[in-house]
Amino acid sequence: MSETIGFIGLGRLGLPVATNLLQAGYSLAVYNRTASKAEPLIAQGARLAARPADAVAAGGVVATLVWDDEALESVVMSEGFLENLGQGGIHISMSTVSPETSRKLASIHAARGSTLVEAPIFGRPEAAEERKLLIPLAGPKDAKDRVRPILAAMGGEGLYDFGEEAGAATLVKLVGNFLIVSAGHSLGEALTIAEKNGVDPVAVADMLTQTLFNAPIYQSYGKRIAQKQAPFGQSKIPMKDVGLLAEAARRAEAPSRISGFLHELLRSEAE
Amino acid sequence: MSETIGFIGLGRLGLPVATNLLQAGYSLAVYNRTASKAEPLIAQGARLAARPADAVAAGGVVATLVWDDEALESVVMSEGFLENLGQGGIHISMSTVSPETSRKLASIHAARGSTLVEAPIFGRPEAAEERKLLIPLAGPKDAKDRVRPILAAMGGEGLYDFGEEAGAATLVKLVGNFLIVSAGHSLGEALTIAEKNGVDPVAVADMLTQTLFNAPIYQSYGKRIAQKQAPFGQSKIPMKDVGLLAEAARRAEAPSRISGFLHELLRSEAE
């Protein structure tokens, strides 16, 4: 495992994921727009890259975990990135972006002889620390086979294969996040209605999340809501991701009534 | 257990629940607007009442499981019903109605010396047959204590106490049904979006309902949707119950954005 992996994007999720890789014995070359965030990794032996292209080795593997479509495109199109990755190189794309952007970047890679593997992450930073991430996968078979042990080392407890087509795993991520946001906001509204009607919301959450809704998502958001926290805090991720899903629905001429409404609701609450 | 229980309302859920009572050794006096639906119970020894009041014994216990607020009120206000139940009698109200109606009927009972216990049922007819019903409870303590063994005999696997105030258990039922409908419709939309984007909806449902959403509700609706069935078939229950919740929210000046939207969506789909 002396292979050096490039890792770009050391946010709240990227940092624990990269840390897992280091601890599993991989060498890392890391890049982050705010370089100071790389310090804990440098202290553990990672090499700091001055620009994205410097985290990339010829024919090697580079993972990106950045905020949005624009940030991802700017990394891939940055000077030297595709050139350095070159023939046989693999880009593990772990950000939550639109399927369209992902398909476009997969084509750009393919034209250069490198491969994009979609591997967006389900899991909060704590789940990364506990190595309990869920990762839907899409991309050419050989590339997926090569990156599976790397994804497992990142903390991917469950890897779910959605075939070879770019866009598929990205869409699964959007679908999952939409369901999470719908569940969290519906639960929040439900418990508020209970409370305003004089019914103890903690008792309601306890009953429902031990029975009909005994899934991790409901249990963790039930606890947050019962403690008077907003289900998703101040995070802008729900608005961004539900917006991406609603857009993917419209492009495919699929119904987007609930996702479209939820996106509008989140936008109005953010104002 | 030779006590005779009155049972009014032998619909898809009422019939298996009443059957459970008979099989547990209780004697039954049953009433249903369409009397022929009582036949399987009569064959097992239940007595057919000609009108609701004839299913009620002085100081006894009568359960009602009818379609809506109007049907419930018409039973309670029917000739002889309250008179026959009399002092010390208990009305177990198991229908899904508005908290307001339930509170009103609880007052009417209290003025006559009888007691209303709210015990609305979570569970499809199959769950009744398997004696796996979940029942939130509300009402005066002594009355709840008296009916608990009866509810267990009906198939109530889990009884959840929400205090003495009428309206509380009814609201919990509405909140639960809203969350079920929100989950089912969000999942339906999500899987349709996946399919229209070329991603196998069965694979998506499998991944999500084994991990983040590994709760009975998602698993059963995931299966239905993957088999191209609408999550709730042609049932009018979702529209009715989400409407009741949205109304309860508005009366309590609680937010009803998602529930209100969902109610409008269900209305528009029913047209």
Side-chain angles (χ1 to χ4, degrees):
Chain A
M1 288 201 269
S2 63
E3 182 178 7
T4 297
I5 310 288
F7 202 103
I8 294 169
L10 304 169
R12 290 186 61 226
L13 193 55
L15 191 60
V17 167
T19 303
N20 287 344
L21 265 184
L22 268 182
Q23 292 178 351
Y26 284 93
S27 300
L28 280 196
V30 299
Y31 173 83
N32 195 62
R33 218 168 36 183
T34 310
S36 60
K37 289 204 183 155
E39 281 164 14
L41 296 167
I42 308 303
Q44 292 172 78
R47 174 171 66 76
L48 185 65
R51 47 176 207 153
D54 297 333
V56 175
V61 174
V62 60
T64 55
L65 184 39
V66 296
W67 171 247
D68 64 2
D69 293 55
E70 195 185 333
L72 180 62
E73 287 199 53
S74 79
V75 166
V76 173
M77 306 315 288
S78 69
E79 199 187 336
F81 183 90
L82 287 165
E83 293 75 4
N84 287 6
L85 189 58
Q87 200 74 24
I90 295 179
H91 170 196
I92 309 178
S93 179
M94 313 189 83
S95 318
T96 304
V97 295
S98 70
E100 208 197 358
T101 294
S102 192
R103 283 190 285 260
K104 184 174 83 181
L105 295 178
S107 296
I108 290 171
H109 273 289
R112 302 288 193 122
S114 52
T115 305
L116 181 138
V117 173
E118 294 184 324
I121 295 179
F122 282 108
R124 298 159 69 98
E126 309 88 71
E129 286 164 17
E130 295 164 10
R131 298 180 164 79
K132 289 190 171 171
L133 301 171
L134 305 174
I135 307 181
L137 281 183
K141 184 179 177 306
D142 289 351
K144 281 184 297 196
D145 288 345
R146 184 169 161 200
V147 304
R148 271 198 187 85
I150 299 171
L151 294 172
M154 287 179 179
E157 186 180 49
L159 309 180
Y160 298 83
D161 195 338
F162 286 92
E164 305 230 336
E165 294 269 337
T170 294
L171 190 87
V172 171
K173 175 69 200 283
L174 295 179
V175 155
N177 272 16
F178 158 58
L179 290 175
I180 290 168
V181 174
S182 170
H185 278 268
S186 296
L187 187 61
E189 183 166 310
L191 296 182
T192 305
I193 295 171
E195 188 167 24
K196 292 259 188 185
N197 275 275
V199 183
D200 178 14
V202 177
V204 178
D206 280 352
M207 175 189 170
L208 294 174
T209 64
Q210 284 165 25
T211 54
L212 298 165
F213 295 94
N214 60 348
I217 283 297
Y218 281 89
Q219 287 163 346
S220 64
Y221 291 118
K223 236 170 257 168
R224 290 179 68 89
I225 295 164
Q227 289 162 358
K228 307 277 177 202
Q229 298 172 34
F232 305 96
Q234 296 301 309
S235 173
K236 285 178 179 149
I237 293 175
M239 184 170 76
K240 163 181 159 302
D241 293 0
V242 174
L244 289 174
L245 180 74
E247 179 60 26
R250 282 187 289 266
R251 280 181 186 273
E253 294 179 13
S256 64
R257 296 196 62 172
I258 301 176
S259 48
F261 172 78
L262 207 50
H263 186 224
E264 286 308 312
L265 176 63
L266 295 168
R267 277 162 56 120
S268 73
E269 287 179 352
E271 271 164 13
Chain B
M1 288 201 270
S2 63
E3 182 179 6
T4 297
I5 309 288
F7 203 102
I8 294 169
L10 303 170
R12 289 185 63 227
L13 193 53
L15 192 60
V17 167
T19 302
N20 287 345
L21 266 186
L22 268 182
Q23 291 178 351
Y26 284 93
S27 298
L28 279 196
V30 299
Y31 173 82
N32 195 61
R33 218 169 34 184
T34 309
S36 60
K37 289 202 182 155
E39 282 166 15
L41 296 168
I42 307 303
Q44 291 172 77
R47 174 171 65 77
L48 183 66
R51 47 177 208 155
D54 297 331
V56 174
V61 174
V62 59
T64 55
L65 184 38
V66 296
W67 170 248
D68 63 3
D69 293 53
E70 196 186 332
L72 180 62
E73 286 199 54
S74 78
V75 166
V76 173
M77 304 316 287
S78 69
E79 200 189 332
F81 183 89
L82 288 165
E83 292 76 5
N84 288 5
L85 189 58
Q87 200 75 21
I90 296 179
H91 171 197
I92 310 177
S93 178
M94 313 189 81
S95 318
T96 305
V97 295
S98 70
E100 208 197 358
T101 294
S102 192
R103 282 190 285 260
K104 184 174 82 179
L105 295 178
S107 296
I108 290 173
H109 273 290
R112 302 288 193 122
S114 54
T115 305
L116 182 139
V117 173
E118 295 184 324
I121 296 179
F122 282 108
R124 299 159 68 98
E126 308 88 72
E129 286 164 17
E130 295 165 8
R131 298 181 163 77
K132 289 190 171 169
L133 300 170
L134 305 173
I135 307 182
L137 281 184
K141 184 179 176 306
D142 289 350
K144 281 185 295 195
D145 288 345
R146 185 169 161 201
V147 304
R148 272 198 187 84
I150 299 171
L151 295 171
M154 286 178 180
E157 185 180 49
L159 308 181
Y160 297 82
D161 196 339
F162 285 92
E164 305 230 336
E165 294 269 336
T170 294
L171 190 89
V172 171
K173 175 68 199 287
L174 294 179
V175 155
N177 271 17
F178 158 58
L179 290 174
I180 290 169
V181 174
S182 170
H185 278 269
S186 295
L187 187 60
E189 182 166 311
L191 296 182
T192 304
I193 295 171
E195 188 168 25
K196 292 260 189 186
N197 274 275
V199 182
D200 177 14
V202 177
V204 178
D206 280 352
M207 175 189 171
L208 294 174
T209 65
Q210 283 164 24
T211 54
L212 298 165
F213 295 95
N214 60 349
I217 283 297
Y218 282 89
Q219 287 163 345
S220 64
Y221 291 118
K223 236 170 258 170
R224 290 178 68 90
I225 295 163
Q227 289 162 358
K228 306 280 178 200
Q229 298 171 34
F232 305 96
Q234 297 300 310
S235 172
K236 285 178 179 149
I237 293 175
M239 183 170 75
K240 163 180 159 298
D241 292 0
V242 174
L244 289 174
L245 180 74
E247 178 61 27
R250 280 187 290 267
R251 281 181 184 273
E253 293 179 15
S256 63
R257 295 195 62 172
I258 302 175
S259 48
F261 172 78
L262 207 51
H263 186 223
E264 286 307 314
L265 176 62
L266 294 168
R267 277 160 57 117
S268 73
E269 287 178 354
E271 271 162 14

